[in-house]
Amino acid sequence: LWVMWCESRGDPEARAFPKSSAAGLFQFIDSTWRTVAPRAGLAGADRTDPEANIAAAAWLWEVSGGTRHPSGAWGPWSCRP
């Protein structure tokens, strides 16, 4: 929850434009969302859909931890616990 709060203040419509393409609760950038969503079983979902965004973040967190991301499971995000 802290990472989500830090990334978007809990606003599913949050956008980082014009600095970035990041959007949604966990602030997925376009390219990451296009990669993660289908792999997480969320093909066609919108990043601003709270359930899809949280499910994609959970999938990415698990994969990042399992693949030993250099910054740990929370490595893909700017905000980390």
Side-chain angles (χ1 to χ4, degrees), residues 7-8 11 13-16 22-29 53 77:
E7 292 284 346
S8 69
D11 179 1
E13 299 291 326
R15 298 187 182 273
L25 291 170
F26 281 90
Q27 293 290 286
F28 282 94
I29 61 172
N53 196 280
W77 288 273

Side-chain angles (χ1 to χ4, degrees), residues 2-75:
W2 186 90
V3 172
M4 182 180 66
W5 178 254
C6 177
E7 292 284 346
S8 69
R9 297 296 188 248
D11 179 1
E13 299 291 326
R15 298 187 182 273
F17 305 132
K19 295 190 292 185
S20 167
S21 65
L25 291 170
F26 281 90
Q27 293 290 286
F28 282 94
I29 61 172
D30 289 334
S31 60
T32 302
W33 185 257
R34 283 192 306 269
T35 300
V36 169
R39 292 179 181 173
L42 301 161
D46 190 288
R47 325 180 253 177
T48 60
D49 174 337
E51 288 183 33
N53 196 280
I54 291 169
W59 182 90
L60 184 56
W61 179 85
E62 185 173 344
V63 167
S64 296
T67 59
R68 300 181 187 205
H69 187 285
S71 297
W74 290 109

